[in-house]
Amino acid sequence: MSLLVVLEHDRGKWVEANDEALTAARKLASDMGVELHAALVGVGARDLVSQAATGGAAVVHLCEHEVLTDYGPDAVGETVAQLVASINPSAITAVGTSRGNEVLAQLAARADLPFVANCMTVAPSDGPWSMTRVQWGGSLLEDATLDAPTKVLSFGHHSVVAEVADAPGAGEVREFAPALDPAMAATIVRDRDVQTAGVTLSTAPVVISGGRGVGSAEGFDQLEELAELLGGRVGCSRAVTNLGWRNHTDQVGQTGTRIAPEIYIATGISGAIQHWVGAMASKRILAINTDAEANMVTKADYAVIADLHKVVPAITAEIRRRQG
Amino acid sequence: MNILVCVKRVPAPGAKINVTEDGLSVDSAHLGFTTSPHEECALEEAVQISERDGGEVTVLTLGPVEAEEQLRYGASVGAHHIILVPTDGSAWDPQRTAAALTTAIEQAEQANGQPFDLILFGNESADSGGFQVGVRVALKLGRPSVNAIKGIDPGDGSVIARREIDGGFEVYEVPTPAVLGIKEGINLPRYPTMKGRLASKKATLETAEIAAEPGGQALIRLHRPPEQASTTEILGTDETAAVRIVDILEEIGVLA
């Protein structure tokens, strides 16, 4: 009896979401009273075995095949489906990143099993399981049940705080060679187009966003200046993207980027649900808005009820003054 | 290139979402309805491709009869055909939805005498967010699929698809027919013109009644997350608050 956690990596580079996946999986495996197994798939996975063991995996299934030269939803999904058929775990989980949910959807479709995405809490039992999952990007929660011979579910990204395992797992390596149709290479990543080197919106320690209240595309210059001083990134609301003031890659929200900075400075943003769910994982929120009743203001830790066009330059000036 | 776009009718929320008394749906008494945002962009992308390279766009939805509104909207922004798979209005689980959509797509392709070159889904629906219906349909149809696509460049027998990753894109070359999960930001959807609105009223609505068995995931109840008992500390009401703000930035260690 085991719980299988599917880990991800970028050509052999560990991704932070794995720490969340292992944290959630350790607890779930303990609640189920089963052993924790991890799956690592593709080129470069071999280098990550010890990290999976440190995260609590008793067994690490190392899945390699010549088709698996990089990530590809069909090839990785089929590999995991074959592994599951071979080792027959009681449940399979991952963290609900773009890839995590895609691979579990692939697995579930191939194995004809239900798949519950983006759970917050999971209560295993001998019969159907109960869980609370995310709807509307986190604005609503859904209590659901999962009735299946093998349970497939993901945990919402950022819904679990990563913790270090009390004790490492044995990390026994078991090689698994899937039988893959070479045609599956069709959906393997061909190339990459890296546009932002260094700190990105989702990893920035400081994010300074502007909403409709910024007034124009040029109005974002002052936010850029402050962001540069703080080593942060500029974000925006959906309204701003729709107005064409900023590129969608800067959009914070349910359909944009989900951020988790040390501090989020939201200027001229009213805080519609769509925006809030992308910002709510921020450690602290400072809202700068002329409207004291704005949703963003009432939900923020700190607020300044004033015109952002006066406050933002004043912050920049104050930082410059202190830095001499 | 003939493209099918699968869309979902969802409430258009503002600052808050309330739940009905039975806990089974969003209280939409004071809300309008819209097409889920990723899918609105998928539709715009399909229309742009058909305008540029030819071919026809079909919009398909599974939902209550009122979802005809979203299909007519699709026609108003350039879709050529609209298909409704009616439900009783209850929320269908992902397995059931995928099974019914697959049957509807097979019927449409049989009627057309050829497969759709591309089937576009939203990466996930705005409301239930199951992250799987497109993948399930792709596998039932035996076609490749990739999610999180923010760029499509149609070629001959394949498409170049760009998937958003942190700080850039992954590039895929996917042979058609294929299924893609589209994300908002791939384009800026147009608003319907008056001419488009008028034409959409005349579009022929095809209806495909399809039964499908419920899957293993069941919704018990929706509820709002507990309000974080946060009190907002007001730092000031003018630019002199900057001093206190920079103090805080120093305290939390983000100021070098």
Side-chain angles (χ1 to χ4, degrees):
Chain A
M1 297 272 273
S2 64
L3 167 68
L4 178 69
V5 59
V6 181
L7 301 176
E8 59 179 282
H9 63 95
D10 180 16
R11 293 158 291 168
K13 190 165 156 264
W14 186 259
V15 298
E16 264 185 43
N18 285 345
D19 300 323
E20 276 179 49
L22 285 163
T23 303
R26 282 194 305 270
K27 177 170 185 310
L28 181 55
S30 148
D31 289 350
M32 292 166 66
V34 301
E35 209 172 45
L36 178 60
H37 290 207
L40 279 164
V41 180
V43 166
R46 197 170 283 272
D47 303 336
L48 305 174
V49 169
S50 67
Q51 269 170 288
T54 305
V59 176
V60 180
H61 299 276
L62 190 58
C63 310
E64 291 175 319
H65 188 280
E66 59 185 13
V67 167
L68 295 163
T69 53
D70 201 331
Y71 177 73
D74 288 300
V76 175
E78 175 64 18
T79 298
V80 175
Q82 289 181 18
L83 176 66
V84 165
S86 160
I87 67 169
N88 197 21
S90 307
I92 303 97
T93 192
V95 75
T97 57
S98 180
R99 286 185 181 183
N101 278 333
E102 186 175 45
V103 170
L104 291 193
Q106 284 273 349
L107 160 67
R110 288 168 192 277
D112 196 22
L113 290 168
F115 159 46
V116 183
N118 295 343
C119 297
M120 311 266 299
T121 56
V122 176
S125 77
D126 292 333
W129 289 14
S130 302
M131 57 267 302
T132 299
R133 66 179 294 271
V134 162
Q135 281 215 8
W136 289 97
S139 327
L140 278 189
L141 301 180
E142 172 191 348
D143 294 340
T145 54
L146 170 58
D147 190 0
T150 306
K151 312 293 190 292
V152 183
L153 57 95
S154 68
F155 285 90
H157 194 191
H158 297 315
S159 73
V160 179
V161 178
E163 289 167 12
V164 176
D166 293 335
E172 178 203 332
V173 178
R174 290 189 198 160
E175 311 262 349
F176 181 77
L180 297 181
D181 182 344
M184 284 191 171
T187 52
I188 297 278
V189 176
R190 284 290 164 91
D191 199 1
R192 278 178 180 75
D193 181 0
V194 177
Q195 307 208 319
T196 315
V199 60
T200 61
L201 201 53
S202 63
T203 58
V206 183
V207 175
I208 303 161
S209 279
R212 200 186 287 271
V214 175
S216 65
E218 296 71 39
F220 278 85
D221 292 350
Q222 57 195 329
L223 302 188
E224 289 283 3
E225 193 180 350
L226 178 55
E228 200 174 313
L229 270 181
L230 293 169
R233 299 287 301 179
V234 170
C236 68
S237 67
R238 188 160 182 252
V240 163
T241 315
N242 285 339
L243 286 162
W245 296 348
R246 301 287 294 188
N247 195 295
H248 186 274
T249 48
D250 294 342
Q251 184 177 314
V252 173
Q254 186 182 345
T255 50
T257 300
R258 289 164 167 263
I259 59 168
E262 291 296 315
I263 187 162
Y264 180 47
I265 306 179
T267 75
I269 292 179
S270 63
I273 277 289
Q274 138 85 234
H275 184 77
W276 172 253
V277 297
M280 66 187 180
S282 306
K283 294 224 177 68
R284 300 164 193 84
I285 295 177
L286 162 64
I288 302 174
N289 206 303
T290 50
D291 178 8
E293 302 301 316
N295 201 36
M296 203 73 218
V297 171
T298 57
K299 284 182 164 167
D301 302 286
Y302 311 105
V304 178
I305 311 304
D307 181 359
L308 71 98
H309 295 94
K310 296 205 169 110
V311 180
V312 171
I315 302 170
T316 305
E318 177 64 15
I319 294 171
R320 291 227 163 92
R321 191 185 66 77
R322 292 192 197 188
Q323 290 178 338
Chain B
M1 179 166 268
N2 291 320
I3 306 176
L4 175 73
V5 186
C6 295
V7 304
K8 184 174 184 183
R9 170 185 170 90
V10 297
K16 203 165 154 182
I17 303 181
N18 291 315
V19 175
T20 53
E21 228 160 78
D22 64 8
L24 294 179
S25 55
V26 168
D27 183 357
S28 56
H30 304 290
L31 300 176
F33 283 83
T34 185
T35 301
S36 194
H38 293 314
E39 292 139 36
E40 204 183 336
C41 292
L43 172 59
E44 174 65 30
E45 194 65 19
V47 171
Q48 286 185 16
I49 292 171
S50 83
E51 285 171 346
R52 202 171 54 231
D53 304 337
E56 294 195 327
V57 176
T58 304
V59 186
L60 169 66
T61 194
L62 179 145
V65 290
E66 292 83 1
E68 180 180 343
E69 181 189 345
Q70 279 59 51
L71 292 174
R72 299 247 173 237
Y73 186 88
S76 77
V77 292
H80 304 85
H81 307 284
I82 54 177
I83 307 173
L84 174 69
V85 181
T87 65
D88 56 0
S90 66
W92 283 23
D93 69 79
Q95 286 173 292
R96 189 181 186 186
T97 302
L101 286 177
T102 304
T103 304
I105 292 167
E106 285 168 343
Q107 287 175 1
E109 292 188 336
Q110 198 162 16
N112 294 343
Q114 55 182 0
F116 293 103
D117 298 295
L118 275 182
I119 300 176
L120 306 183
F121 283 84
N123 192 63
E124 83 279 3
S125 58
D127 54 354
S128 53
F131 286 84
Q132 60 192 276
V133 170
V135 173
R136 286 186 187 275
V137 170
L139 283 161
K140 281 176 192 286
L141 294 172
R143 296 180 198 173
S145 77
V146 186
N147 277 348
I149 297 304
K150 279 184 91 172
I152 301 175
D153 187 5
D156 192 17
S158 68
V159 294
I160 303 291
R162 288 158 63 83
R163 177 189 188 123
E164 186 177 42
I165 54 171
D166 201 20
F169 293 91
E170 287 169 352
V171 184
Y172 295 80
E173 188 180 349
V174 188
T176 53
V179 176
L180 300 175
I182 304 297
K183 286 193 86 171
E184 182 185 78
I186 190 170
N187 53 45
L188 206 52
R190 73 194 67 189
Y191 290 101
T193 59
M194 187 52 75
K195 193 173 153 220
R197 278 181 205 278
L198 290 172
S200 74
K201 293 197 171 113
K202 293 187 195 128
T204 308
L205 176 72
E206 292 170 47
T207 301
E209 301 264 0
I210 294 166
E213 289 297 310
Q217 178 182 344
L219 178 135
I220 303 301
R221 160 182 103 92
L222 294 172
H223 51 99
R224 289 183 40 202
E227 293 280 338
Q228 290 159 326
S230 72
T231 46
T232 309
E233 183 188 338
I234 305 292
L235 304 178
T237 54
D238 60 28
E239 60 270 28
T240 58
V243 174
R244 179 76 184 99
I245 291 170
V246 180
D247 287 347
I248 292 168
L249 295 175
E250 272 180 352
E251 278 163 31
I252 64 174
V254 295
L255 200 61

